[in-house]
Amino acid sequence: MPTDLTIRTYEVQPTLGRHQVLDPRSLAYRRPYDGQPLRATAWEPRIPVLNQTGLIAQGIRTAQAYGLDEDVDALASCTGNAATALLSILLTPEQAFAASLNLADAAMAQHFAIGLYADATSCDQWDEAAWPSQDVGSSGLGVAKAMRNRGLIDQYGHATTAYQLCTLLQTGPVLMGLPWRAAMSEPDANGFVDADPNWADSPLEGGHEICVTALEDIALNDGAIDYANTILRFRQSWGSAWGEHGDGRLRLSTYLTLRDEIDVVQPRRDGVIL
């Protein structure tokens, strides 16, 4: 196992399965903020909202597909789900087809996400356990490596500051791993997971991976980012009934509050041919 990794693990449950893993070699590839103007951006997934729970009702039979003794109804596959949403943006329809990612069928896309999750658990060299033998969760770094191993991306970069995060969102969506507080599971009518003023004091439920799809609104105060009024939108993986049709929102100030336990990865493609 690599000895220079920073690892923070969380209790795994069927809806939450992300661990924080930071690799100093990867973190060296950060895109610095160079003073460029920042603007609102949006990157829309081409797949329906996925759901890592209620798998059997979706017609997803994991026993047959993965050699298990019986079907499981939910998986801690948020890293695979978030990455699949991101790939549906990053890949053209033709590239998605070549990669066996069905953009039109939610169940087939969820199958793809589960397979990617399985690969990610194998790429997490800090943990010997892997799905499908154990539902152990994964990391943003692990799923980025899994995508690269499949030839779906050819690089990935990181952000460790709010300005770097906003810079990455100028060019595409990002994967964000974060600690998930109980209040965040009950967003308001607009999907804000930090609407409760006491959200940060609610119990820690686990670690979660989301696909940030938009720098929806960027507010400035004397030329500097107004963190409390700058809004990120993300694609959740708990079905379309959650949040605003499956999407959530959070303030950039929430990112800052949780930053020590957050990792941000942006998978990228530069001329990869499938």
Side-chain angles (χ1 to χ4, degrees), residues 15-18 52 77-86 139-140 143 165 173-180 184 193 207-213 232-238 242 246-250 254-255 258 262-267:
T15 55
L16 300 169
R18 169 263 182 183
Q52 64 195 83
S77 60
C78 55
T79 54
N81 281 70
T84 300
L86 184 142
S139 66
V143 80
L165 170 57
V174 304
L175 299 178
M176 179 184 289
L178 72 166
W180 197 260
M184 301 168 77
V193 296
H208 195 36
E209 194 83 18
I210 57 177
C211 177
V212 181
T213 58
L232 305 177
R233 187 173 79 243
F234 63 90
R235 173 59 57 91
Q236 184 60 288
S237 54
W238 295 347
W242 187 90
D247 283 352
R249 292 180 172 88
L250 59 86
T254 296
Y255 161 81
L258 300 173
I262 282 179
D263 62 273
V264 173
V265 182
Q266 186 182 56

Side-chain angles (χ1 to χ4, degrees), residues 134-208:
Q134 291 179 265
D135 190 15
V136 293
S138 184
S139 66
L141 182 62
V143 80
K145 289 181 177 180
M147 286 187 282
R148 186 167 184 175
N149 288 347
R150 287 192 181 193
L152 300 174
I153 63 170
D154 60 356
Q155 63 172 303
Y156 48 89
H158 299 266
T160 56
T161 71
Y163 274 90
Q164 289 174 2
L165 170 57
C166 292
T167 299
L168 289 182
L169 287 168
Q170 301 301 292
T171 58
V174 304
L175 299 178
M176 179 184 289
L178 72 166
W180 197 260
R181 298 283 175 179
M184 301 168 77
S185 294
E186 300 181 4
D188 69 5
N190 294 313
F192 279 94
V193 296
D194 48 10
D196 182 345
N198 298 313
W199 69 266
D201 297 322
S202 63
L204 177 66
E205 292 192 331
H208 195 36

